[in-house]
Amino acid sequence: MTRSATPAPAVRHLVSQEYLAVPADASSRIPPTADDTADGTVDDAPHDAERVGAGRPLVVAIDGPAGSGKSSVARRVAQRLGMPHVDTGALYRAATLAVLRAEVDPDDEDACAAVVAAVDLQRRGDRTFLDGEDVEDEIRGDAVTAAVSAVSAHAAVRAALLPAQRHAVAEHGGVVEGRDIGSAVLPEADVKVFLTASVEERARRRGGQVGRDDLEVLAQEIAARDAADGGRAVSPMAVADDAWVLDSSDLDVEQVVDAVVDRVREVAGARPVDPLSARRALPRVAIVGRPNVGKSTLVNRILGARVAIVEEKPGVTRDRTEHPAEWLGRHFLVVDTGGWEHQAEGMAARIVEQAEAAVTDADLVLFVVDATVGALEDDERYARLLRRSGVPTLLVANKVDSNAQESLVHELYGLGLGAAHPVSARHGRGVGDLLDEVLAGLPEAAEVAPEADAVPRVAIVGKPNVGKSSLFNRLLGQERSIVDSVPHTTRDAVDTMVEVDGEPWVFVDTAGMRRRYRHGEETELYSVDRTRAAIQGADLVLFVIDASEPLGEQDQRLAALLREAGRGVVLVCNKWDLVDEDRRHELERELDRLLSFAAWAPRVNVSAASGRGLRRLLPQLRSVWGNYRRRVPTRELNRLVEDAVARHPLPRQGNRNLKIRYATQAEIAPPRFVLFANGALPPSYRRYLERELRQQHDFTGVPLLFEDRPPAPRNRR
């Protein structure tokens, strides 16, 4: 294991570029709005020590007419705040240069759009490249300046550039400058600044930039350009409703930068903390050691709950799992690992790899040793590795259950990791003192605890060996769950927060559920309990089946459990590369016959081993997540019910006609509808109403819960 001298930040789990619709280099291809850069060059302004955006990525949009100082101000603001700078005007100028080189009329929208779509525009540092050629100086010339407004005004050109422009700030945020950035390109920007200045002042700045002293002519050109821009359908002269307007006519660049930086800090301080960013900011404490020294017991003791499987035999914990923890008001992540074994092979070797990865990513390591057996040869070997890694390490002497065993601790000094901290993870003895030492050794924790409830949780479930862990690892872009051909490799529910296209998600890998358990298989039984709990705690479920094999009773039992839990479902048919034409027809019949939710759950055919089809999975999840929280207005719902009853009247119940007096949606996530009727509705009629509701509203992937309730009795006097 190696580690740089600078402590590594919390791991940022991202979906690999294979699954993203935008090319891997899209962050450098930022095709912007119509703008020219404003005045002057920018020297290397010092960065403030304080950096803004500890929460979700911050976006600052700086708008304004030509010559208002946007470019100079944006660069300096980005430097001061330690944020990326996105120069939109340079790329629009490069696009205009491409149009001019192609000898296309700048007023011909279709021709301009075709040229722009065919070229490669990039920003590298402060330079602009057109098809690999540095054109930074050429795009500042008079010819480009005269044509840039016409080219950038075309809707087709703008449409081709907007998606990549927005994607550029989706991951890291940034300071974006241009015209109509805040009003049209990034209307959801956190801070919108509209810089303006008098025409005379803008002419003076422009003259100083290009070396011209005919300021009256320049002022006329700027005024004419303002008039042309003001006539566009999307005018760069328009100020966004929530923009902060700053007239820079009588201010120098540094005064403007100071004002904008203060504004950004004010707004950023009032923003809610993003759950994903808050979790990333948490320091990480990895718990490592030989098998069966009590690591998982210590994890459970620290968390105050039984979240890790504990059993009196080695090798129970296999995967690396993360758990948010808190002690004395400070928050951190506890990382549980499998047993460290020397010269491990097969699955045991992958368990060791996970433990070593946890050490590499950690801010602090708790190295757990069984004090009752002393320092074994493997303990000494791992202690040497930890000393070389450079990761701050606390030596933990576990199983010190009484004062009489305190003397055992002194035998561990030879490991070279300082004084051992005696604890009894089973009884809690000494754990509080240990946590005090943990806080002293950690970097400053996040001031606000991450709100995990704000992030959709997606449980990956299925019977053993259908490829759940392979799918989990593919989604994360790294191996977090151990994959092996032996069934029941995953025993715990492994959850990890990831970022997909700038959105936080929590994916939970679960153990495979079997129908029966043999006597003495407490580990398997507890794994199933954890899987059930993961389903109950999830919002959405990826129900994974092996498409190459016939559906069985296990699949049906899981499907019934999912329907009963009321969670959003995406059906994942894995191992699709092994499915031939005959099997496809059989599978269609089996799905219709055996899975109750096959009619309304979206289905994605994938191969987790190769990654085939996975890019279709995330859009389906996003769609189901929206449907899961959909609410139908009460008036619209009652009109729908009335129309449905008019087409198919309710049956009689005894001597009376059934009537639905009122309908309302009582809950979302999942949607639950209450029907106030004068009697119990037949199940068939409730299914009919569900079909009618699904035809009118998109509830794909979501179970709809209906309950009929008799009207409240009237008060009789």
Side-chain angles (χ1 to χ4, degrees):
M1 296 177 294
T2 60
R3 184 179 176 90
S4 62
T6 303
V11 175
R12 180 182 190 127
H13 302 301
L14 294 175
V15 175
S16 66
Q17 289 290 344
E18 176 183 357
Y19 311 133
L20 297 180
V22 182
D25 64 347
S27 60
S28 61
R29 301 176 61 180
I30 312 163
T33 70
D35 193 12
D36 61 343
T37 56
D39 56 308
T41 58
V42 178
D43 52 12
D44 293 330
H47 290 238
D48 280 358
E50 177 186 359
R51 298 168 76 95
V52 173
R56 60 180 171 81
L58 187 78
V59 177
V60 179
I62 300 182
D63 292 274
S68 58
K70 299 182 300 299
S71 182
S72 298
V73 169
R75 283 193 177 92
R76 283 184 164 91
V77 167
Q79 288 178 324
R80 288 271 295 274
L81 297 176
M83 297 172 63
H85 169 244
V86 182
D87 182 358
T88 64
L91 289 178
Y92 261 100
R93 283 178 164 266
T96 302
L97 178 60
V99 168
L100 296 178
R101 287 183 174 181
E103 298 182 352
V104 167
D105 183 358
D107 294 322
D108 187 334
E109 179 172 356
D110 292 339
C112 289
V115 171
V116 173
V119 297
D120 178 24
L121 304 176
Q122 295 187 26
R123 284 283 292 176
R124 304 174 193 166
D126 287 334
R127 309 299 294 180
T128 307
F129 294 82
L130 170 59
D131 288 334
E133 176 190 354
D134 187 337
V135 294
E136 182 66 26
D137 298 329
E138 190 174 356
I139 63 175
R140 309 298 173 184
D142 292 340
V144 172
T145 300
V148 66
S149 285
V151 173
S152 59
H154 296 315
V157 173
R158 297 174 59 77
L161 298 176
L162 280 178
Q165 188 176 357
R166 289 167 176 164
H167 183 269
V169 297
E171 183 174 335
H172 300 293
V175 181
V176 189
E177 51 91 3
R179 297 181 300 160
D180 68 20
I181 291 294
S183 58
V185 180
L186 297 169
E188 302 300 323
D190 299 282
V191 183
K192 299 178 186 177
V193 179
F194 189 90
L195 287 182
T196 186
S198 65
V199 172
E200 293 74 20
E201 176 62 20
R202 288 153 57 197
R204 186 191 65 77
R205 295 172 182 174
R206 180 66 175 169
Q209 179 184 2
V210 298
R212 290 175 56 178
D213 55 9
D214 52 340
L215 300 187
E216 291 185 2
V217 176
L218 273 175
Q220 292 174 359
E221 293 175 356
I222 290 174
R225 183 174 180 181
D226 287 350
D229 289 338
R232 282 170 41 185
V234 180
S235 172
M237 307 298 290
V239 183
D241 293 338
D242 53 348
W244 180 56
V245 180
L246 178 60
D247 190 333
S248 64
S249 299
D250 299 324
L251 303 175
D252 61 30
V253 172
E254 288 307 318
Q255 289 173 319
V256 176
V257 170
D258 288 342
V260 174
V261 167
D262 289 343
R263 177 71 175 180
V264 172
R265 286 181 175 149
E266 177 184 352
V267 173
R271 292 191 315 156
V273 176
D274 172 64
L276 179 62
S277 299
R279 180 157 175 166
R280 282 199 208 105
L282 293 178
R284 308 167 79 83
V285 178
I287 299 181
V288 301
R290 289 186 297 103
N292 214 32
V293 295
K295 299 183 296 299
S296 294
T297 304
L298 181 59
V299 169
N300 290 339
R301 178 63 62 179
I302 292 174
L303 300 178
R306 192 184 184 193
V307 298
I309 299 176
V310 177
E311 192 173 340
E312 293 296 331
K313 64 180 181 181
V316 172
T317 301
R318 293 174 175 176
D319 296 299
R320 170 169 44 120
T321 61
E322 298 177 355
H323 311 279
E326 181 269 335
W327 180 251
L328 299 180
R330 289 184 60 186
H331 300 272
F332 53 95
L333 286 179
V334 173
V335 185
D336 189 19
T337 65
W340 228 346
E341 297 183 74
H342 182 53
Q343 294 182 340
E345 297 180 354
M347 186 188 301
R350 290 192 286 278
I351 295 174
V352 172
E353 290 172 1
Q354 290 292 314
E356 294 183 349
V359 171
T360 302
D361 296 337
D363 296 285
L364 180 72
V365 171
L366 298 184
F367 180 42
V368 184
V369 177
D370 185 345
T372 63
V373 300
L376 302 184
E377 183 179 352
D378 279 352
D379 293 318
E380 295 174 353
R381 181 179 294 109
Y382 306 142
R384 287 195 296 271
L385 289 173
L386 289 170
R387 291 198 303 269
R388 289 199 297 267
S389 74
V391 185
T393 301
L394 295 179
L395 178 60
V396 180
N398 191 27
K399 305 185 182 181
V400 180
D401 298 334
S402 65
N403 292 334
Q405 295 175 305
E406 291 280 354
S407 59
L408 300 174
V409 175
H410 303 298
E411 301 178 10
L412 303 177
Y413 276 101
L415 293 175
L417 294 173
H421 300 271
V423 303
S424 172
R426 171 175 292 180
H427 303 294
R429 185 176 187 271
V431 175
D433 294 335
L434 173 64
L435 290 175
D436 290 341
E437 295 295 326
V438 167
L439 295 189
L442 286 178
E444 190 63 29
E447 295 181 2
V448 181
E451 299 179 4
D453 291 343
V455 180
R457 293 180 63 85
V458 183
I460 305 175
V461 304
K463 67 182 182 182
N465 216 33
V466 295
K468 299 184 299 298
S469 295
S470 297
L471 179 62
F472 180 74
N473 291 336
R474 279 281 179 180
L475 289 169
L476 267 61
Q478 61 171 271
E479 184 169 334
R480 283 299 309 276
S481 281
I482 297 171
V483 178
D484 197 277
S485 58
V486 178
H488 319 300
T489 300
T490 301
R491 290 176 168 173
D492 211 341
V494 183
D495 73 283
T496 304
M497 192 178 289
V498 301
E499 184 178 275
V500 182
D501 292 343
E503 298 175 306
W505 297 78
V506 173
F507 288 100
V508 185
D509 187 21
T510 63
M513 294 184 67
R514 294 189 296 175
R515 181 185 176 188
R516 296 185 179 89
Y517 307 95
R518 292 185 294 272
H519 178 70
E521 290 184 323
E522 289 85 358
T523 300
E524 295 291 349
L525 183 59
Y526 185 55
S527 296
V528 172
D529 290 341
R530 293 298 308 280
T531 298
R532 292 178 182 272
I535 293 173
Q536 292 295 333
D539 300 297
L540 312 178
V541 172
L542 292 178
F543 181 37
V544 185
I545 65 172
D546 184 344
S548 66
E549 295 182 353
L551 297 180
E553 184 179 354
Q554 293 169 263
D555 297 301
Q556 291 179 264
R557 291 169 63 88
L558 259 177
L561 180 62
L562 295 179
R563 178 64 185 252
E564 181 182 342
R567 301 298 177 253
V569 176
V570 175
L571 179 61
V572 181
C573 295
N574 192 26
K575 305 185 183 181
W576 195 251
D577 50 334
L578 304 179
V579 177
D580 57 25
E581 193 65 29
D582 292 339
R583 175 59 192 149
R584 292 184 186 183
H585 293 303
E586 294 173 2
L587 179 62
E588 295 294 341
R589 292 194 296 269
E590 291 172 1
L591 291 176
D592 291 339
R593 187 176 73 255
L594 300 177
L595 298 188
S596 59
F597 52 71
W600 50 260
R603 171 181 149 192
V604 183
N605 303 325
V606 306
S607 171
S610 66
R612 175 186 173 186
L614 289 184
R615 68 178 62 204
R616 299 193 301 272
L617 193 56
L618 295 171
Q620 290 287 7
L621 273 176
R622 190 178 292 111
S623 175
V624 173
W625 174 237
N627 298 341
Y628 190 65
R629 297 173 296 163
R630 187 179 305 282
R631 183 178 293 278
V632 180
T634 301
R635 178 179 301 179
E636 186 175 341
L637 178 62
N638 279 277
R639 185 168 55 247
L640 185 149
V641 171
E642 290 173 5
D643 293 343
V645 172
R647 285 192 296 272
H648 295 281
L650 283 154
R652 289 179 62 84
Q653 187 177 72
N655 296 325
R656 61 178 175 175
N657 292 323
L658 285 177
K659 293 182 180 180
I660 299 176
R661 305 184 187 279
Y662 186 72
T664 185
Q665 182 174 352
E667 294 177 352
I668 62 171
R672 182 171 66 89
F673 300 91
V674 178
L675 307 172
F676 292 88
N678 61 347
L681 301 180
S684 59
Y685 203 87
R686 278 188 285 183
R687 289 194 296 270
Y688 162 66
L689 291 178
E690 177 179 345
R691 290 194 300 270
E692 291 294 310
L693 185 57
R694 289 187 182 277
Q695 288 178 4
Q696 299 296 324
H697 297 275
D698 186 3
F699 284 108
T700 303
V702 179
L704 301 184
L705 310 179
F706 283 86
E707 64 180 67
D708 43 50
R709 187 178 302 172
R714 297 179 180 178
N715 292 327
R716 294 183 178 180
R717 297 185 180 179

